[in-house]
Amino acid sequence: MTTATRRSPSSRTAAPSGARPTDAANELSTAAVHGANSTEAPGSTGHPPHRGNDAIRARTEQRRRSPQRRRRTRRDAALFLALVAPNLVAILVFSYYPSLYNIGLSFTEWDFVEPTPEWVGLENYQDLFTDPAFGQVLLNTLIFTGVSVVGSIIGGILLGSLLATKLPLTGFAQTMAFAPHMLPGAAVGTLWLFIFDPNYGLSRWLFSLVGASSPAWTTTSDWSLWAITIAYTWQRLGFVTVICYTAILDLPRDIYEAAALDGAHGWTLLRHMTLPLLSPITFFLSITGVISAAQAFDIISIMTGGGPGNSSSTLSWMVYEEAFQKFDIGSASAAATILLVILLILTFIQVRVGEKKVNYDS
């Protein structure tokens, strides 16, 4: 402060007469203080900060409303519609429209001969739910779907875990496991007809090993449903095995190494580590498996034709039988609508359970 208040000789000579040196120093100090208080920060515009933000937002909004921006937005929207429209039209024409049209036909009576269907309301649904055979068909559908889906997933996880151990000829075993999925359903049905033949098939030889005779798998009501279930499960097992094998290879190996150091092996690893980590895969396989099994047709057609009686008939086979053998389009449409509702309910339950049980963190 001593240097700030020191005056040069020239300032002393410029001071007015009669003024004291201390007064002049005080005036200089007061001016310096006021100058410091009035100094603005570098880059300040002298306006409140929000005014600058308003100006930026205004310029941004102006650019958004510019003709060039609007033309670019319309061009991007047109390109998006051009790319999406083919798939969207295909889904609407080949999926949603037939479903809605089928629901409409379920309230009519038609035989492919009359020019227009006749409206009958809920009569087709009443006939189905009062028919004892329909209850048997529903039960067959639930057994066939449940056993084939659960069996293929369990077998696929076990086989996938076995292939992941890097045994000899793993590549060949993987190819052979996936081969049934590549075969058409008609070929699979024909193959299992030979296997289940009680006189010359592989089934006769296997039962003879334990001193028993082979049952007539496809011609008796006690075994026909299990015959088509085994054949369909075998066909789907290859697909599930390859999916599970690929997923197991992608699991983090450090977790297994840490568990092995803690003494976990075999069944303990499979139950407490592999299965929880594979929960997203099993969730996907369960949904697709239920939908696929509920629509199975070719294996049933080749092996049993829904018989004997209704012992191996499912909802998908009943739709075909009512429509193209009895020519009762209204009843077939009602059965197809019931199948659609059942699949929607099962999928909804699976999704809700999956939200709580599926572990996506892995």
Side-chain angles (χ1 to χ4, degrees):
M1 296 300 296
T2 305
T3 58
T5 57
R6 184 180 297 155
R7 291 178 297 172
S8 62
S10 60
S11 64
R12 286 198 300 267
T13 58
S17 60
R20 292 179 298 177
T22 55
D23 295 337
N26 292 335
E27 292 176 0
L28 291 174
S29 300
T30 303
V33 171
H34 285 291
N37 292 335
S38 62
T39 303
E40 297 180 353
S44 175
T45 59
H47 300 287
H50 69 275
R51 293 184 181 179
N53 295 336
D54 292 342
I56 294 174
R57 283 195 294 268
R59 288 194 297 269
T60 303
E61 187 66 23
Q62 184 178 5
R63 285 196 298 268
R64 288 178 179 175
R65 296 179 179 178
S66 62
Q68 296 84 357
R69 184 63 176 266
R70 288 197 297 268
R71 286 195 295 269
R72 185 165 59 252
T73 302
R74 288 194 296 267
R75 185 171 61 252
D76 293 343
L79 178 60
F80 172 77
L81 291 177
L83 296 175
V84 172
N87 293 330
L88 184 61
V89 171
I91 292 174
L92 292 176
V93 172
F94 297 106
S95 294
Y96 289 101
Y97 173 73
S99 299
L100 295 176
Y101 187 70
N102 174 79
I103 294 174
L105 285 178
S106 67
F107 299 102
T108 65
E109 183 178 354
W110 192 33
D111 58 358
F112 281 139
V113 177
E114 297 295 330
T116 57
E118 179 184 355
W119 180 266
V120 294
L122 297 175
E123 183 178 336
N124 292 320
Y125 293 96
Q126 293 174 356
D127 293 340
L128 285 177
F129 286 111
T130 56
D131 185 4
F134 183 70
Q136 180 66 38
V137 170
L138 278 179
L139 181 61
N140 292 343
T141 304
L142 293 178
I143 294 175
F144 175 79
T145 302
V147 174
S148 61
V149 171
V150 175
S152 62
I153 290 178
I154 293 177
I157 292 176
L158 293 177
L159 290 177
S161 301
L162 184 62
L163 293 175
T165 57
K166 302 299 182 181
L167 294 175
L169 301 177
T170 300
F172 176 76
Q174 182 180 353
T175 303
M176 296 303 296
F178 189 70
H181 180 70
M182 303 301 295
L183 296 176
V188 174
T190 304
L191 173 65
W192 280 93
L193 277 179
F194 284 103
I195 294 176
F196 285 143
D197 190 290
N199 298 318
Y200 307 103
L202 181 63
S203 172
R204 176 182 178 275
W205 176 74
L206 291 176
F207 276 90
S208 65
L209 296 178
V210 294
S213 59
S214 173
W217 290 88
T218 60
T219 57
T220 57
S221 57
D222 294 334
W223 294 95
S224 58
L225 179 62
W226 298 109
I228 62 174
T229 303
I230 292 172
Y232 179 80
T233 303
W234 178 79
Q235 182 188 24
R236 184 168 174 79
L237 182 61
F239 171 76
V240 178
T241 299
V242 172
I243 295 296
C244 292
Y245 167 73
T246 306
I248 291 173
L249 292 181
D250 290 336
L251 295 180
R253 308 316 303 174
D254 52 346
I255 298 179
Y256 284 89
E257 294 173 357
L261 292 176
D262 293 336
H265 298 284
W267 169 250
T268 303
L269 284 177
L270 179 64
R271 178 183 177 184
H272 296 286
M273 298 198 59
T274 303
L275 292 181
L277 292 175
L278 288 180
S279 57
I281 302 299
T282 56
F283 174 64
F284 162 76
L285 292 174
S286 64
I287 291 182
T288 57
V290 167
I291 295 175
S292 177
Q295 301 176 7
F297 173 80
D298 42 11
I299 289 180
I300 300 175
S301 176
I302 294 297
M303 295 185 66
T304 64
N310 293 312
S311 60
S312 62
S313 178
T314 62
L315 275 175
S316 60
W317 177 259
M318 182 180 183
V319 171
Y320 165 78
E321 192 175 35
E322 293 290 329
F324 300 105
Q325 293 183 2
K326 300 179 181 179
F327 298 101
D328 189 352
I329 306 305
S331 180
S333 300
T337 302
I338 293 173
L339 177 60
L340 174 63
V341 173
I342 292 175
L343 289 178
L344 289 176
I345 293 175
L346 291 178
T347 304
F348 176 77
I349 294 174
Q350 288 175 304
V351 170
R352 294 303 299 268
V353 173
E355 291 176 352
K356 300 178 181 179
K357 300 296 184 180
V358 176
N359 176 29
Y360 290 101
D361 294 336
S362 59

